[in-house]
Amino acid sequence: MAEAEIGVIGLGVMGANLALNIADNGYHVAVYNRTTSRTEAFAASAGALSERITACATLEDFVAAIRPPRPVIIMVKAGEAVDEQIAALTPLMQANDIIIDAGNANFRDTMRRFEALEGSGLTFIGMGVSGGEEGARHGPSIMVGGAETAWKRVEPVLTAISAKYRGEPCAAWLGENGAGHFVKTIHNGIEYADMQMIAEVYGVMRDHLMMDAPTIAAVFSAWSTGPLDSYLIDITAEVLKVHDAATGRPIVDIIVDAAGQKGTGRWSAIESQMMGVPATAIEAAVAARSLSAMRAERARAEKAFGLPAQQGRRNGQEVIADLESALLAGKIAAYAQGFAVMAAASREFGWNLPMQTIARIWRAGCIIRSRFLGEIATAFGTDPDVPNLTLAPAFSKMILDTDAGLRRIVSEAALNGLPVPALSSALAYFDTYRRARGTANLIQAQRDFFGAHGFARLDADGEHHGPWGGQG
Ligand code: 6PG
């Protein structure tokens, strides 16, 4: 008998935990995984929740186990596996059934899937889910893209399983087709920038102030009671406190300094470039991960060049106070960039993205959750059309309060050869953005000189060319 109210395909870490979360919230859920042994292991480990779980060995049984109209969540590796699942599923489903892709899809794939399913009678939703394993199990942040009518049909279950911020569900419909996956991508781009800037600040403490991991942990713990209060700062403090059982050393000291990436950060940078919206802190974070992966080359370069001589060090407490300011200022730049990219995409794809709602559903459940996001939600509540977060009065004040600290950290890091690419990109972004008279007058002149591209004048309308002495 079809008694399940919803189905989950893919029982990897995220899918399995999402299914348990759904069952925990009183819904009967059917589950299916291509490798049957995984489905069996999942069912065997579900404990008391197994009475609300129907584990299915075939896709046919899975579809038959769900009451129509069926909502089916696909949580498999982004890319081809999603297309394969959709292809296998569609012939078995009926009109009005809903396929929900909950993986970290590239929103362009999501747009393509919407088009492909158009006219099939099936409904498609592209859903961003953030919060890792813990979030999936106990409440993630959920970013939905698709028809609003489709959202209305799944809203009860999605809000039930989502994280709650002071009782408010962190799940929302954000716009048509690819909107949910686009917003999730930018969430991850910001996540990259947040993580990179935290790592840069850690690097200054480790390699300049010569602090050990537990001492650095105490600094992050102290910051987590101030404006930097966030999940990523909390877990950083936790991580830095942990010692390796085998060596007795702080575990960060024996972890290889090369980080992987699965694509979402890079997509954020690519899409921002495509739209001509600067997202330099995010780009710097993506590039830093790529450089981190070039370990052998970096070792060779250190052998070839050595490290720059130290240029002296200020009092440690002063540097630490500046690091807190630098991190906050850098964070403002990264979020201002991320939200500006979303605003441009909203215009380009006709999504009408609700910026305040996005900030609100990021306040709990997701990886970048923080006190700061509450302030962003307030700023967009006051002025939904502010062109750049830095121009919202609360953030303008925050920048004016922290900008000097960021400037001193970037200078001191540069003098001492300490790489702070995301922080220095953030500073360059502010310094460029705040200066009314820039230097592109020279770029205009150069372009006109070599390519007769023309230029605009300050004192006259129209397109002009320079008197380049016949060489232009
Ligand atoms: C989240 C995370 C999650 C995942 C990323 C990590 O919001 O829950 O962002 O989606 O951890 O895929 O991405 P990288 O492997 O690229 O760091």
Side-chain angles (χ1 to χ4, degrees):
M1 199 185 75
E3 52 180 351
E5 296 150 284
I6 187 165
V8 174
I9 293 180
L11 295 172
V13 173
M14 292 298 283
N17 282 290
L18 217 50
L20 292 175
N21 184 358
I22 293 170
D24 220 1
N25 275 282
Y27 289 87
H28 195 124
V29 57
V31 296
Y32 168 80
N33 194 82
R34 208 157 48 173
T35 315
T36 313
S37 56
R38 183 171 281 209
T39 315
E40 287 162 359
F42 171 76
S45 66
L49 291 176
S50 58
E51 64 185 37
R52 284 197 291 277
I53 293 173
T54 303
C56 306
T58 67
L59 212 48
E60 286 77 6
D61 288 351
F62 170 80
V63 173
I66 311 166
R67 272 204 303 265
R70 309 172 177 85
V72 169
I73 295 177
I74 300 180
M75 190 53 123
V76 299
K77 193 168 180 277
E80 273 172 33
V82 177
D83 290 314
E84 283 166 17
Q85 272 311 331
I86 295 175
L89 202 52
T90 41
L92 305 174
M93 294 183 93
Q94 295 168 349
N96 292 323
D97 287 351
I98 305 180
I99 298 178
I100 304 167
D101 175 17
N104 269 338
N106 185 314
F107 87 105
R108 292 187 184 274
D109 286 339
T110 303
M111 306 281 263
R112 170 178 56 76
R113 289 172 188 139
F114 267 98
E115 262 178 43
L117 284 170
E118 216 161 86
S120 69
L122 299 179
T123 302
F124 190 58
I125 284 181
M127 180 169 98
V129 175
S130 176
E133 183 176 356
E134 181 66 16
R137 178 65 184 87
H138 298 292
S141 172
I142 295 178
M143 295 148 251
V144 173
E148 193 174 7
T149 46
W151 154 250
K152 286 284 170 216
R153 287 167 55 200
V154 288
E155 185 179 357
V157 57
L158 296 182
T159 51
I161 65 168
S162 75
K164 310 289 177 301
Y165 180 81
R166 298 185 180 159
E168 222 180 284
C170 291
W173 174 73
L174 301 176
E176 299 281 330
N177 48 61
H181 276 142
F182 187 87
V183 171
K184 175 59 172 48
T185 295
I186 300 303
H187 165 284
N188 280 27
I190 293 173
E191 172 187 304
Y192 271 54
D194 256 342
M195 292 168 73
Q196 173 63 25
M197 290 189 291
I198 291 172
E200 290 173 12
V201 159
Y202 153 76
V204 172
M205 286 191 262
R206 185 190 69 182
D207 300 333
H208 187 51
L209 300 182
M210 302 303 177
M211 292 161 65
D212 61 15
T215 315
I216 301 173
V219 173
F220 280 108
S221 292
W223 288 350
S224 79
T225 60
L228 289 171
D229 176 14
S230 61
Y231 171 74
L232 283 170
I233 292 284
D234 286 347
I235 65 161
T236 302
E238 285 308 304
V239 160
L240 288 163
K241 276 183 219 157
V242 175
H243 284 76
D244 171 49
T247 60
R249 295 176 60 195
I251 195 149
V252 281
D253 292 346
I254 51 170
I255 295 179
V256 171
D257 55 327
Q261 49 179 318
K262 290 202 283 288
T264 45
R266 185 182 307 135
W267 299 337
S268 295
I270 290 170
E271 295 302 334
S272 65
Q273 287 283 7
M274 302 261 277
M275 290 184 294
V277 179
T280 53
I282 295 172
E283 284 171 16
V286 176
R289 281 211 199 176
S290 301
L291 268 164
S292 84
M294 303 176 187
R295 264 189 95 225
E297 268 183 68
R298 286 189 289 113
R300 188 171 161 187
E302 182 172 334
K303 244 197 199 131
F305 311 129
L307 292 173
Q310 297 297 294
Q311 305 281 328
R313 198 169 77 194
R314 288 184 293 141
N315 167 291
Q317 286 313 314
E318 276 175 34
V319 177
I320 289 171
D322 278 348
L323 286 172
E324 185 179 15
S325 293
L327 207 43
L328 190 55
K331 201 173 160 98
I332 295 170
Y335 283 69
Q337 294 175 354
F339 275 90
V341 173
M342 288 193 289
S346 184
R347 287 189 294 274
E348 181 151 334
F349 299 101
W351 287 327
N352 205 10
L353 291 178
M355 299 306 167
Q356 189 190 25
T357 303
I358 292 169
R360 288 166 91 102
I361 63 169
W362 285 354
R363 287 176 304 175
C366 69
I367 302 296
I368 62 171
R369 60 186 182 264
S370 65
R371 181 194 296 193
F372 188 78
L373 275 158
E375 286 151 16
I376 296 180
T378 306
F380 279 117
T382 311
D383 182 0
D385 300 319
V386 67
N388 188 290
L389 197 60
T390 59
L391 296 177
F395 287 88
S396 304
K397 178 176 180 319
M398 249 187 262
I399 288 177
L400 291 173
D401 290 346
T402 52
D403 150 270
L406 174 61
R407 202 168 293 287
R408 283 191 292 269
I409 290 301
V410 171
S411 319
E412 191 159 343
L415 283 172
N416 289 283
L418 297 156
V420 288
L423 289 173
S424 51
S425 301
L427 180 62
Y429 174 74
F430 285 143
D431 283 343
T432 309
Y433 190 68
R434 76 196 295 174
R435 187 167 285 267
R437 174 73 173 153
T439 54
N441 48 329
L442 182 60
I443 309 280
Q444 283 216 79
Q446 290 163 334
R447 289 177 75 242
D448 188 54
F449 187 102
F450 63 64
H453 296 289
F455 54 78
R457 290 179 67 109
L458 289 171
D459 55 0
D461 290 340
E463 188 180 288
H464 301 268
H465 292 280
W468 309 126
Q471 299 164 67

